[in-house]
Every structure is written in structure tokens, then in C-alpha cells.
Amino acid sequence: MPSIFAYQSSEVDWCEPNFQYSQLVAEFYNTFSNVTFFVFGPLMTFLMRPYIQKRSCYIYVLFILFTVTGLFSMYFHMTLSFLGQMLDEIAILWLLASGYSIWLPRCYFPTFLAQNRSWYISLIVTITLVSTCLSFLKPTINAYALNAIGLHIIYIVVQEYKKTKNKELRHLIEVSTVIWALALTSWISDRLFCSFWQWINFSYLHSIWHVLISFTFPYGMVILAIVDSTYEMPDQTIKVRYWPRDTWPVGLPYVEMGDDHKSC
């Protein structure tokens, strides 16, 4: 039985040819396409700091998990080890759980929680702990389960899209949905049609997934922050900004808020 640290000890392998450019890196493009996580994580932490100070300092944990996800994904694709796979997938699971805990509007809570966020967070932590343990039973289905959670997030976003008249929010939802759809298409194509992509010598769709999903998360975080503010901070003004310039056709979204007395 191979060690969990050993190269290629994971049952999961992606379409990119292994050890094509280096004997130390199993999947070259899938490994280094995670660099965007290391850029966007710290950058979003800096840009969103005024909002975080007003809303909740626990959001710092979310951005740390976002960056750590990139690190663990890089380790997994570099080694294709079982340990790398589990670290990658568990980090994503806890990243999603953190987002749910902080930003899910109370109107979507199960009715037995009576819109109590403390009870809701306890439920999310319990479910995530159980899911973490279950992820070791059949690791090959973990990625599919995580993408299924993404579908529920899309459902929530669509419900809020129907409710809102905020043009900025609607634009963010439209853009993020397109990016997410392209990312998911890349992931599915790499998984199901690998022989075709290898035949045309373009087996790098999973690396494209990394780049696109790393853009989708900041968009999603800003969308949830705006939606959350309408429920939790209705007296606060909130404005969407884009880095590096608001006037550029493409940018990284973040939010600015009016002053109040709450801070970390």
C-alpha cells in the first residue's frame, strides 16, 4: 500500500500528461495555474479590510482559507498524492462552510433554527466536521460533491437576483454566473472528454478551471457581501469598486462602506 505522501498515491488523476516538464512536478500547468489564489487572497483581504472591520473579523479566516486552498491544490497537482488531494478538498469544504456561516441570509435558514445565526453556525460546523470524516470513505467522489454545493449557491444567488433591483448586484451576478459556467464546463470537459483533448494535444482544461474559479470566488464573495448587507446592515451604504480601476473593462470587484463605530 503506497504512503499517503507518495507521488501518485491518489486515485484521482487529471487529463494533463504527468511529469511532462519535470520529474518533481506531476502536472505542470495544473500546479502553477493556482498562482492566482496567492494573488487574489491577500489582495482581496487588503481591499475588503474596511468592510471586514464593520461586518465580521471572521471574514479574514475565509480569505486565509481561500489562499490555503490554492496552496494545497498546488501541492496536490505537483504530487498527485492522497494527502494532497484530501488537503485540497477539505480546504475547499471549509472555505464553503465559512462563506455559508457568515453570509447566508437568515431567510434561507432551516425553519427549526428560528433564524438564529449562532445555532445555524453550530449546525454548519457539525455538518462540515461529519463531511470531513466522510470524505475519506470514497475520495473519488469528493470533487463531485463539492461542485454540488456550488449548485446550491447558484440557487441562492438566482433567488436574490429575482428580488433585487440593484443594477450593480445584477451585473455582478450575471458576470459571475458566466465565469462559473465556463469554469464548470472546463472541469467537466477535462473529466469526461480527456481522450479528445489529448487527441488534439490540449489537455489543460483543469488549469483553466483553476484560473476561472479563482475569479469566481471574489465575485461570489462581493455578491454575498452585498446581499448580506441588505439583511444585516440595512442602514449602511455599500459601493462596488473594481481593482485596479473602476473604469477598466475587467477588474477585481470589492466593496466600500460608509463609516460607523464598529471595528475589529
Side-chain angles (χ1 to χ4, degrees):
M1 180 178 180
S3 166
I4 63 171
F5 299 95
Y7 273 68
Q8 297 180 292
S9 55
S10 170
E11 295 181 63
V12 177
D13 193 2
W14 299 94
C15 196
E16 182 182 352
N18 296 338
F19 305 105
Q20 188 174 20
Y21 299 103
S22 170
Q23 291 304 306
L24 297 177
V25 180
E27 297 175 340
F28 184 85
Y29 290 102
N30 286 352
T31 296
F32 292 103
S33 57
N34 286 290
V35 69
T36 48
F37 286 85
F38 298 105
V39 176
F40 294 159
L43 180 58
M44 288 293 290
T45 303
F46 172 75
L47 295 173
M48 298 274 283
R49 186 171 180 273
Y51 164 78
I52 294 170
Q53 289 181 319
K54 292 178 173 63
R55 180 60 179 94
S56 171
C57 290
Y58 290 111
I59 299 173
Y60 284 123
V61 175
L62 191 145
F63 284 116
I64 291 170
L65 284 170
F66 177 78
T67 306
V68 166
T69 295
L71 175 64
F72 288 157
S73 179
M74 180 175 283
Y75 171 61
F76 169 49
H77 289 288
M78 183 177 72
T79 63
L80 292 179
S81 66
F82 178 75
L83 177 63
Q85 177 195 344
M86 298 310 298
L87 289 174
D88 180 20
E89 292 168 348
I90 290 171
I92 295 171
L93 176 64
W94 283 92
L95 171 63
L96 294 171
S98 298
Y100 268 92
S101 298
I102 296 168
W103 283 318
L104 186 73
R106 297 172 192 266
C107 60
Y108 297 104
F109 288 7
T111 54
F112 66 86
L113 295 178
Q115 298 193 356
N116 185 306
R117 189 166 293 275
S118 296
W119 294 354
Y120 169 72
I121 291 173
S122 297
L123 177 63
I124 289 295
V125 170
T126 301
I127 292 173
T128 308
L129 285 170
V130 172
S131 299
T132 299
C133 296
L134 292 176
S135 67
F136 288 88
L137 298 180
K138 190 68 174 176
T140 53
I141 69 170
N142 291 347
Y144 298 96
L146 290 170
N147 275 307
I149 298 173
L151 292 174
H152 181 255
I153 295 172
I154 290 294
Y155 166 77
I156 299 297
V157 169
V158 168
Q159 298 308 306
E160 292 301 320
Y161 183 86
K162 294 176 181 178
K163 294 179 185 178
T164 187
K165 295 181 180 179
N166 185 322
K167 291 182 179 179
E168 282 187 318
L169 177 57
R170 292 176 73 91
H171 173 72
L172 282 167
I173 292 174
E174 290 164 0
V175 171
S176 65
T177 301
V178 170
I179 298 173
W180 174 81
L182 290 172
L184 186 62
T185 300
S186 298
W187 189 91
I188 293 172
S189 296
D190 185 273
R191 196 78 256 173
L192 300 183
F193 306 113
C194 179
S195 57
F196 169 77
W197 297 113
Q198 288 181 339
W199 179 59
I200 65 173
N201 198 30
F202 190 79
S203 50
Y204 310 110
L205 286 178
H206 194 75
S207 62
I208 295 174
W209 150 267
H210 286 159
V211 175
L212 291 175
I213 207 67
S214 69
F215 272 95
T216 303
F217 265 100
Y219 271 87
M221 291 172 185
V222 170
I223 289 167
L224 293 173
I226 296 171
V227 170
D228 173 78
S229 70
T230 63
Y231 291 98
E232 302 293 334
M233 299 182 292
D235 58 332
Q236 290 285 339
T237 56
I238 188 165
K239 181 175 176 59
V240 179
R241 304 292 301 273
Y242 293 87
W243 182 90
R245 292 285 186 275
D246 290 338
T247 54
W248 286 23
V250 178
L252 197 67
Y254 64 100
V255 295
E256 286 186 349
M257 299 189 66
D259 293 332
D260 69 5
H261 301 293
K262 183 181 178 182
S263 62
C264 292

